[in-house]
Structure formats: structure tokens, C-alpha cells
Amino acid sequence: MKNLVGIDKDKAEKLSNKLNDLLANYQLFYQNLRGLHWNIKGREFFELHLKFEELYNDAILKVDEIAERILTLEAEPLHTFSDYLETAEIKEEKSVTVGKQGIEIVVKNFSTLIQKERVILSLAADAEDEGTVSLMSDYISQTEKTLWMLNSYLR
């Protein structure tokens, strides 16, 4: 049986579960970025304060897109912080003020996200879910470029 957008309901449910996992991780990533933005200190303050803001603005857009995709697949997005904390692999970061440490956290978090996006991409392709394939493909391309830039910054 297929859902409203023509995706097999069982495959859509599996995808929705993976998307909810990604959503929870993006919420923790977003909050980590906010903390880094607020608390960064030192010589790189102006540069990193802006970079963290750019990244959290992008992350919050992705949070909304992922939640809307889950709804499109006829499931319910996670929406409580207790669910996010219970589900996410990304952990809360607290009181990070050093730029290099902040960038290392962002790289680690992005690495977690891109692994999850690749799994979803594969499942979505198998389900012939072009909407989710397109979303994950765009996210992966953006994340790969950002990871390259952040790793270059750390060298």
C-alpha cells in the first residue's frame, strides 16, 4: 500500500524513523552551534562568531525541512528536547570558548550527520522517494564542502 505521495507505506515509515533520528541530531547540532556562537572568545572571535551564526542559520532551516519531509511521508516529527536527547548521537557541548575546539566539535558533528544522510539517501533511493533523495543529496554536497573548508581551517 502507498501513501499520499506514492511511497510504499512500510518504506516511508522506515525512512521517517531515520529522518527523525537525523532531525534529533540536527537539533543538538543547532544548539551546539548557538552555544559556540555565544561563548567563543579570543583572537578568532569575529571570524568564528560569524561562521557559527552562518552554520546555525543553515542548521535551523534543515531542521524545518527534515520535519516537513517527515510530515510529507505521513509520520510525526520528533518535537521535544527529551526526544532529541534520547535519540541523538550528537551530544550537548557546554562552555566551549576556544575556537579550535569549537571547530573540532563542528567537524565531529558534521561527520555524524553526513553518515546518517548517506544511510537515508540509500533507503530513499530504494523506496523511489525522489523528494528525500534530492534533500539528502543536497545536504551531503553542502556538508562535504563545509567539512573540507573546516578541515583546511584546522591545518
Side-chain angles (χ1 to χ4, degrees), residues 1 8-9 29 39 45 47 53 61 64 69 81 98 108 115 134-135:
M1 179 167 254
D8 176 88
K9 284 191 175 203
F29 180 54
N39 294 307
F45 171 81
E47 177 183 355
E53 182 175 11
L61 293 174
D64 193 54
R69 191 66 201 161
F81 277 98
V98 177
K108 183 175 86 175
Q115 290 171 2
S134 176
L135 196 63

PDB file of all heavy atoms in Angstrom, residues 1 8-9 29 39 45 47 53 61 64 69 81 98 108 115 134-135:
ATOM      1  N   MET A   1       0.838  -1.180   0.000  1.00  0.00           N
ATOM      2  CA  MET A   1       0.000   0.000   0.000  1.00  0.00           C
ATOM      3  C   MET A   1       0.883   1.245   0.000  1.00  0.00           C
ATOM      4  O   MET A   1       1.918   1.287   0.646  1.00  0.00           O
ATOM      5  CB  MET A   1      -0.904  -0.027   1.235  1.00  0.00           C
ATOM      6  CG  MET A   1      -1.788   1.172   1.342  1.00  0.00           C
ATOM      7  SD  MET A   1      -3.073   0.967   2.563  1.00  0.00           S
ATOM      8  CE  MET A   1      -4.451   0.720   1.494  1.00  0.00           C
ATOM      9  N   ASP A   8       5.726   3.494  -0.858  1.00  0.00           N
ATOM     10  CA  ASP A   8       5.287   2.338  -0.090  1.00  0.00           C
ATOM     11  C   ASP A   8       5.271   2.707   1.397  1.00  0.00           C
ATOM     12  O   ASP A   8       6.246   3.249   1.918  1.00  0.00           O
ATOM     13  CB  ASP A   8       6.252   1.166  -0.350  1.00  0.00           C
ATOM     14  CG  ASP A   8       5.932  -0.039   0.487  1.00  0.00           C
ATOM     15  OD1 ASP A   8       5.125  -0.862   0.039  1.00  0.00           O
ATOM     16  OD2 ASP A   8       6.495  -0.142   1.599  1.00  0.00           O
ATOM     17  N   LYS A   9       4.152   2.428   2.062  1.00  0.00           N
ATOM     18  CA  LYS A   9       3.983   2.869   3.460  1.00  0.00           C
ATOM     19  C   LYS A   9       5.037   2.295   4.406  1.00  0.00           C
ATOM     20  O   LYS A   9       5.508   2.993   5.306  1.00  0.00           O
ATOM     21  CB  LYS A   9       2.578   2.534   3.958  1.00  0.00           C
ATOM     22  CG  LYS A   9       1.537   3.478   3.426  1.00  0.00           C
ATOM     23  CD  LYS A   9       0.217   3.308   4.135  1.00  0.00           C
ATOM     24  CE  LYS A   9      -0.739   4.383   3.637  1.00  0.00           C
ATOM     25  NZ  LYS A   9      -1.804   4.663   4.552  1.00  0.00           N
ATOM     26  N   PHE A  29      22.922  19.577  17.111  1.00  0.00           N
ATOM     27  CA  PHE A  29      23.949  20.296  16.356  1.00  0.00           C
ATOM     28  C   PHE A  29      23.649  21.799  16.374  1.00  0.00           C
ATOM     29  O   PHE A  29      24.532  22.619  16.650  1.00  0.00           O
ATOM     30  CB  PHE A  29      23.988  19.768  14.928  1.00  0.00           C
ATOM     31  CG  PHE A  29      24.998  20.428  14.027  1.00  0.00           C
ATOM     32  CD1 PHE A  29      26.325  20.515  14.377  1.00  0.00           C
ATOM     33  CD2 PHE A  29      24.604  20.923  12.790  1.00  0.00           C
ATOM     34  CE1 PHE A  29      27.262  21.108  13.528  1.00  0.00           C
ATOM     35  CE2 PHE A  29      25.520  21.509  11.938  1.00  0.00           C
ATOM     36  CZ  PHE A  29      26.856  21.607  12.305  1.00  0.00           C
ATOM     37  N   ASN A  39      29.581  31.876  23.013  1.00  0.00           N
ATOM     38  CA  ASN A  39      30.650  31.776  24.012  1.00  0.00           C
ATOM     39  C   ASN A  39      32.069  31.849  23.473  1.00  0.00           C
ATOM     40  O   ASN A  39      33.015  31.831  24.268  1.00  0.00           O
ATOM     41  CB  ASN A  39      30.470  30.474  24.807  1.00  0.00           C
ATOM     42  CG  ASN A  39      29.204  30.515  25.626  1.00  0.00           C
ATOM     43  OD1 ASN A  39      28.988  31.442  26.392  1.00  0.00           O
ATOM     44  ND2 ASN A  39      28.346  29.523  25.442  1.00  0.00           N
ATOM     45  N   PHE A  45      37.565  35.580  17.507  1.00  0.00           N
ATOM     46  CA  PHE A  45      36.175  35.838  17.883  1.00  0.00           C
ATOM     47  C   PHE A  45      35.332  36.312  16.702  1.00  0.00           C
ATOM     48  O   PHE A  45      34.286  35.732  16.404  1.00  0.00           O
ATOM     49  CB  PHE A  45      36.083  36.872  19.013  1.00  0.00           C
ATOM     50  CG  PHE A  45      34.668  37.318  19.260  1.00  0.00           C
ATOM     51  CD1 PHE A  45      33.807  36.543  20.020  1.00  0.00           C
ATOM     52  CD2 PHE A  45      34.171  38.475  18.678  1.00  0.00           C
ATOM     53  CE1 PHE A  45      32.482  36.930  20.217  1.00  0.00           C
ATOM     54  CE2 PHE A  45      32.853  38.877  18.870  1.00  0.00           C
ATOM     55  CZ  PHE A  45      32.009  38.097  19.645  1.00  0.00           C
ATOM     56  N   GLU A  47      35.696  36.340  13.450  1.00  0.00           N
ATOM     57  CA  GLU A  47      35.602  35.368  12.349  1.00  0.00           C
ATOM     58  C   GLU A  47      34.713  34.185  12.714  1.00  0.00           C
ATOM     59  O   GLU A  47      33.806  33.817  11.960  1.00  0.00           O
ATOM     60  CB  GLU A  47      37.027  34.894  12.033  1.00  0.00           C
ATOM     61  CG  GLU A  47      37.150  33.854  10.981  1.00  0.00           C
ATOM     62  CD  GLU A  47      38.602  33.412  10.801  1.00  0.00           C
ATOM     63  OE1 GLU A  47      39.518  33.979  11.435  1.00  0.00           O
ATOM     64  OE2 GLU A  47      38.801  32.481  10.026  1.00  0.00           O
ATOM     65  N   GLU A  53      27.323  31.542  13.447  1.00  0.00           N
ATOM     66  CA  GLU A  53      25.984  32.064  13.143  1.00  0.00           C
ATOM     67  C   GLU A  53      25.519  31.586  11.765  1.00  0.00           C
ATOM     68  O   GLU A  53      24.373  31.165  11.590  1.00  0.00           O
ATOM     69  CB  GLU A  53      25.977  33.586  13.201  1.00  0.00           C
ATOM     70  CG  GLU A  53      24.609  34.182  12.944  1.00  0.00           C
ATOM     71  CD  GLU A  53      24.580  35.689  13.116  1.00  0.00           C
ATOM     72  OE1 GLU A  53      25.652  36.332  13.241  1.00  0.00           O
ATOM     73  OE2 GLU A  53      23.465  36.232  13.126  1.00  0.00           O
ATOM     74  N   LEU A  61      17.259  25.871   9.253  1.00  0.00           N
ATOM     75  CA  LEU A  61      16.487  25.645   8.024  1.00  0.00           C
ATOM     76  C   LEU A  61      16.362  24.155   7.724  1.00  0.00           C
ATOM     77  O   LEU A  61      15.291  23.672   7.332  1.00  0.00           O
ATOM     78  CB  LEU A  61      17.144  26.361   6.839  1.00  0.00           C
ATOM     79  CG  LEU A  61      17.128  27.883   6.874  1.00  0.00           C
ATOM     80  CD1 LEU A  61      17.943  28.448   5.714  1.00  0.00           C
ATOM     81  CD2 LEU A  61      15.710  28.416   6.852  1.00  0.00           C
ATOM     82  N   ASP A  64      13.755  22.409   9.890  1.00  0.00           N
ATOM     83  CA  ASP A  64      12.398  22.593   9.393  1.00  0.00           C
ATOM     84  C   ASP A  64      12.140  21.727   8.155  1.00  0.00           C
ATOM     85  O   ASP A  64      11.087  21.097   8.033  1.00  0.00           O
ATOM     86  CB  ASP A  64      12.150  24.069   9.085  1.00  0.00           C
ATOM     87  CG  ASP A  64      10.689  24.374   8.873  1.00  0.00           C
ATOM     88  OD1 ASP A  64       9.875  24.030   9.760  1.00  0.00           O
ATOM     89  OD2 ASP A  64      10.346  24.937   7.820  1.00  0.00           O
ATOM     90  N   ARG A  69       9.570  17.046   5.717  1.00  0.00           N
ATOM     91  CA  ARG A  69       9.675  15.823   4.906  1.00  0.00           C
ATOM     92  C   ARG A  69       9.041  14.653   5.654  1.00  0.00           C
ATOM     93  O   ARG A  69       8.363  13.809   5.060  1.00  0.00           O
ATOM     94  CB  ARG A  69      11.140  15.515   4.559  1.00  0.00           C
ATOM     95  CG  ARG A  69      11.292  14.426   3.527  1.00  0.00           C
ATOM     96  CD  ARG A  69      10.738  14.857   2.192  1.00  0.00           C
ATOM     97  NE  ARG A  69      10.433  13.692   1.361  1.00  0.00           N
ATOM     98  CZ  ARG A  69       9.635  13.709   0.313  1.00  0.00           C
ATOM     99  NH1 ARG A  69       9.075  14.828  -0.081  1.00  0.00           N
ATOM    100  NH2 ARG A  69       9.407  12.622  -0.368  1.00  0.00           N
ATOM    101  N   PHE A  81      12.604  18.247  23.391  1.00  0.00           N
ATOM    102  CA  PHE A  81      14.031  18.111  23.659  1.00  0.00           C
ATOM    103  C   PHE A  81      14.346  16.791  24.347  1.00  0.00           C
ATOM    104  O   PHE A  81      15.425  16.234  24.146  1.00  0.00           O
ATOM    105  CB  PHE A  81      14.561  19.311  24.443  1.00  0.00           C
ATOM    106  CG  PHE A  81      14.882  20.453  23.539  1.00  0.00           C
ATOM    107  CD1 PHE A  81      13.980  21.480  23.361  1.00  0.00           C
ATOM    108  CD2 PHE A  81      16.057  20.472  22.805  1.00  0.00           C
ATOM    109  CE1 PHE A  81      14.249  22.530  22.494  1.00  0.00           C
ATOM    110  CE2 PHE A  81      16.339  21.504  21.936  1.00  0.00           C
ATOM    111  CZ  PHE A  81      15.431  22.538  21.773  1.00  0.00           C
ATOM    112  N   VAL A  98      37.097  28.119  23.167  1.00  0.00           N
ATOM    113  CA  VAL A  98      38.302  28.108  22.330  1.00  0.00           C
ATOM    114  C   VAL A  98      37.925  27.756  20.892  1.00  0.00           C
ATOM    115  O   VAL A  98      37.251  26.751  20.637  1.00  0.00           O
ATOM    116  CB  VAL A  98      39.335  27.096  22.882  1.00  0.00           C
ATOM    117  CG1 VAL A  98      40.560  27.024  21.998  1.00  0.00           C
ATOM    118  CG2 VAL A  98      39.712  27.464  24.311  1.00  0.00           C
ATOM    119  N   LYS A 108      33.238  17.110  13.986  1.00  0.00           N
ATOM    120  CA  LYS A 108      32.753  15.827  14.517  1.00  0.00           C
ATOM    121  C   LYS A 108      31.239  15.707  14.322  1.00  0.00           C
ATOM    122  O   LYS A 108      30.738  14.663  13.899  1.00  0.00           O
ATOM    123  CB  LYS A 108      33.124  15.710  15.997  1.00  0.00           C
ATOM    124  CG  LYS A 108      32.739  14.384  16.640  1.00  0.00           C
ATOM    125  CD  LYS A 108      33.234  14.299  18.068  1.00  0.00           C
ATOM    126  CE  LYS A 108      32.197  14.940  18.954  1.00  0.00           C
ATOM    127  NZ  LYS A 108      32.452  14.849  20.382  1.00  0.00           N
ATOM    128  N   GLN A 115      27.068  10.830   7.801  1.00  0.00           N
ATOM    129  CA  GLN A 115      26.889   9.367   7.818  1.00  0.00           C
ATOM    130  C   GLN A 115      25.402   9.017   7.820  1.00  0.00           C
ATOM    131  O   GLN A 115      24.959   8.126   7.095  1.00  0.00           O
ATOM    132  CB  GLN A 115      27.564   8.751   9.034  1.00  0.00           C
ATOM    133  CG  GLN A 115      29.064   8.782   8.986  1.00  0.00           C
ATOM    134  CD  GLN A 115      29.691   8.350  10.307  1.00  0.00           C
ATOM    135  OE1 GLN A 115      29.004   7.988  11.269  1.00  0.00           O
ATOM    136  NE2 GLN A 115      31.007   8.384  10.362  1.00  0.00           N
ATOM    137  N   SER A 134      16.593  13.874  -3.148  1.00  0.00           N
ATOM    138  CA  SER A 134      17.045  15.214  -3.514  1.00  0.00           C
ATOM    139  C   SER A 134      17.511  15.994  -2.284  1.00  0.00           C
ATOM    140  O   SER A 134      18.565  16.632  -2.305  1.00  0.00           O
ATOM    141  CB  SER A 134      15.898  15.954  -4.209  1.00  0.00           C
ATOM    142  OG  SER A 134      16.276  17.276  -4.498  1.00  0.00           O
ATOM    143  N   LEU A 135      16.724  15.920  -1.212  1.00  0.00           N
ATOM    144  CA  LEU A 135      17.071  16.616   0.018  1.00  0.00           C
ATOM    145  C   LEU A 135      18.413  16.130   0.567  1.00  0.00           C
ATOM    146  O   LEU A 135      19.307  16.922   0.877  1.00  0.00           O
ATOM    147  CB  LEU A 135      15.952  16.412   1.042  1.00  0.00           C
ATOM    148  CG  LEU A 135      15.909  17.329   2.243  1.00  0.00           C
ATOM    149  CD1 LEU A 135      15.678  18.778   1.830  1.00  0.00           C
ATOM    150  CD2 LEU A 135      14.803  16.872   3.189  1.00  0.00           C
TER     151      LEU A 135
END
